[in-house]
Amino acid sequence: MRRPHGLGGTFAKALRNFAIKTAEKGRNHMKTKLFLLVLAVLLVAGLAGGATMAWFTDQATNGPNNFTAGTVNIEADRDLGDPIPGPMFYTTSAEGVTPAGEPPLPANVTGPWYPGRTVTRILDVRNAGSLEVRLHQVSAEITSVNGVSVSDPSYPSALATSFANKMNVRIHMMDMVGGTLQNVNLFNGSLAELLTPQPTLHRPIFSPTGSIRPVFYEVTMLSSAGNDLQGIAPVVSFSVFAEQTKNNP
């Protein structure tokens, strides 16, 4: 027996419409969930970046604050009773006169040098700065030979080198070592070596503002000095270098 055609078509059509509505409902639900998720993300971002919140605040200020850097400043003058300023070593009294015209003590005039001669002079080093310092380098410079400046093209460099090689310089002073006062060397070698700044063998400390300590310069013309040095008249400058001790290993 055949089923009526009209009833089956109506049922199939209703079933298809139900399936379409159900699918549309599911899609709309997913869209709603996605919209709510995006909205939540935007809301959080807005709160983090653009929200304004009120807090009680206050501020305290201290001032004016002043900072003054310390100073490292050493000065050096000859001793042995000579008027200052002036050189430690001078062959004639005229060479030892101060810029103001005060003559040196006659006993401190060295006279001519010759092989084997040793002369000792004292350099008073004073800490005129506000920081504790220590001597850490010494040096010397030959500024002229026989009246010819080192900057002159005719400067006799070979003769100056020969002189520097035949002069020994010992620099020493009294200082505490291991709780005992000792005579310690700062340098002991040729004048030629000293023409390049040399680190001191010992680093004596000078208290700030006014500390004065004597440094001894013992200079010897070696017995091996040759005839090429007869009559030579060089001019030499001696220098000492200081550095701060604080935060300086």
Side-chain angles (χ1 to χ4, degrees), residues 34 55 59 89 92 153 155 185 220:
L34 180 60
W55 301 99
Q59 176 182 334
F89 298 89
T92 67
Y155 177 74
N185 283 342
T220 301

XYZ file of all heavy atoms in Angstrom, residues 34 55 59 89 92 153 155 185 220:
83
model
N 32.794 34.667 20.836
C 33.979 35.342 20.309
C 33.914 36.841 20.585
O 34.911 37.474 20.961
C 34.086 35.085 18.797
C 35.282 35.716 18.090
C 36.582 35.198 18.692
C 35.233 35.424 16.588
N 45.673 58.486 44.154
C 46.366 58.075 45.361
C 46.792 59.312 46.129
O 47.123 60.328 45.548
C 47.623 57.255 45.013
C 47.357 56.014 44.207
C 47.493 55.878 42.863
C 46.909 54.766 44.695
N 47.167 54.614 42.466
C 46.793 53.891 43.583
C 46.584 54.272 45.971
C 46.374 52.574 43.698
C 46.160 52.959 46.082
C 46.063 52.121 44.957
N 55.951 64.624 49.132
C 57.357 64.723 48.731
C 58.139 65.461 49.800
O 57.628 66.392 50.423
C 57.500 65.465 47.396
C 58.936 65.684 46.957
C 59.023 66.458 45.655
O 58.108 66.420 44.850
N 60.135 67.151 45.468
N 121.652 70.862 43.370
C 123.052 70.715 42.964
C 123.469 71.929 42.121
O 122.780 72.286 41.156
C 123.238 69.434 42.151
C 122.913 68.166 42.905
C 121.622 67.644 42.911
C 123.901 67.503 43.619
C 121.329 66.482 43.611
C 123.615 66.334 44.326
C 122.318 65.817 44.327
N 128.746 76.194 40.986
C 129.243 77.488 41.467
C 128.162 78.169 42.294
O 126.969 77.846 42.197
C 129.618 78.402 40.296
O 128.420 78.755 39.576
C 130.602 77.726 39.350
N 118.428 71.976 17.535
C 118.904 70.934 16.602
C 120.371 70.549 16.830
O 120.779 69.431 16.491
C 118.717 71.570 15.224
C 117.636 72.588 15.422
C 117.823 73.119 16.808
N 121.776 70.156 19.693
C 121.914 69.536 21.010
C 122.794 68.290 20.905
O 122.535 67.398 20.087
C 120.545 69.168 21.551
C 120.546 68.447 22.876
C 120.829 69.124 24.053
C 120.244 67.085 22.945
C 120.814 68.459 25.281
C 120.225 66.421 24.159
C 120.513 67.109 25.323
O 120.509 66.451 26.534
N 115.108 52.799 50.003
C 115.371 53.319 48.661
C 114.066 53.529 47.908
O 113.181 52.658 47.909
C 116.244 52.353 47.867
C 117.706 52.414 48.266
O 118.141 53.380 48.888
N 118.464 51.388 47.916
N 126.302 60.069 42.108
C 127.697 59.660 41.961
C 128.104 59.668 40.491
O 127.363 59.140 39.642
C 127.909 58.239 42.514
O 127.543 58.195 43.899
C 129.367 57.787 42.357
